[in-house]
């Protein structure tokens, strides 16, 4: 019972890492504003860029990526420690348990970013945090996704399109490369989650009204 309670606590920690409302806090600390009342009303780095400038946006982007990295690094250490320090159930295979636990921690940090307990269970679209998860799980996949984002953004100057194609690239790479099944399922589920969080952006892309970098954002776009 203690083992499973501690396991759930580890997932809660990953969720709380993801829940840290970076954009909201940066808006308050650096600009004295509630970023949700400005621009696209988003807490993401794109709206911070439009509202507060490059350096605050860079801070938000960096911390959001590091949240994903930290959750996976923590999970790898914590669940390995649990298996050696607490008595796991005798029927539990440690080599099977560990990657599945890490997978669930990855989903927890994404859920925390998108449904933050500190923002009434609203939040961002998890693209930056998802990149951090990818980099910590498999840096080649993370770099491939990041490269796709940068190339698409340089060509289109549309952040939402870049984020969705980056998530799709991650799914393709994790299926093509040798990875444990839980990691594959995490990247597929996380990638689809990121795309699903962009449903309003997809509608605007189809309508041809999605703003590019440097253009005003529609006020109903919540990142």
């Amino acid at each position: 019972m203690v083992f499973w309670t501690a396991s759930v606590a580890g997932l809660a920690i990953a969720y709380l890492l993801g829940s840290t409302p970076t954009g909201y806090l940066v808006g308050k600390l650096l600009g004295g504003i509630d970023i949700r009342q400005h621009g696209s009303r988003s807490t993401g780095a794109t709206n911070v860029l439009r509202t507060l400038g490059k350096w605050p946006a860079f801070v938000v982007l960096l911390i959001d990526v590091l949240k994903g990295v930290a959750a996976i690094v923590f999970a790898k250490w914590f669940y390995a420690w649990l298996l050696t320090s607490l008595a796991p159930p005798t029927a539990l295979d440690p080599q099977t348990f560990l990657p599945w636990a890490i997978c669930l921690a990855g989903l927890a940090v994404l859920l925390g970013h998108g449904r933050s307990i500190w923002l009434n269970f609203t939040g961002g679209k998890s693209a930056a945090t998802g990149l951090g998860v990818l980099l910590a799980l498999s840096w080649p996949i993370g770099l491939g996704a990041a490269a796709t984002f940068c190339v698409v953004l340089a060509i289109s100057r549309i952040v939402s399109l870049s984020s969705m194609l980056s998530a799709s690239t991650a799914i393709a790479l994790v299926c093509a490369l040798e990875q444990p099944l839980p990691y594959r399922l995490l990247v597929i589920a996380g990638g689809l989650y990121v795309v699903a969080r962009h449903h309003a952006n997809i509608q605007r892309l189809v309508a041809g009204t999605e703003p590019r970098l440097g253009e005003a954002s529609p006020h109903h776009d919540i990142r």
Side-chain angles (χ1 to χ4, degrees), residues 143-220:
L143 289 181
T148 298
F149 178 88
C150 292
V151 169
V152 176
L153 184 62
I155 295 172
S156 68
R157 294 175 50 241
I158 300 176
V159 175
S160 60
L161 179 63
S162 305
S163 298
M164 289 187 286
L165 289 180
S166 176
S168 301
T169 297
I171 293 174
L173 287 175
V174 82
C175 291
L177 300 176
E178 192 67 31
Q179 293 291 328
L181 177 61
Y183 290 6
R184 286 185 172 179
L185 294 179
L186 168 60
V187 174
I188 292 171
L192 293 176
Y193 175 74
V194 168
V195 172
R197 293 284 290 165
H198 284 82
H199 59 90
N201 303 84
I202 293 172
Q203 293 175 350
R204 290 195 295 274
L205 284 167
V206 172
T209 58
E210 180 73 342
R212 301 174 188 269
L213 281 179
E215 297 178 351
S217 299
H219 290 290
H220 56 277

Side-chain angles (χ1 to χ4, degrees), residues 14-34:
Y15 169 82
L16 290 174
L17 277 172
S19 288
T20 304
T22 315
Y24 174 82
L25 292 175
V26 166
K28 285 291 187 180
L29 294 173
L30 298 184
I33 63 171
D34 183 345

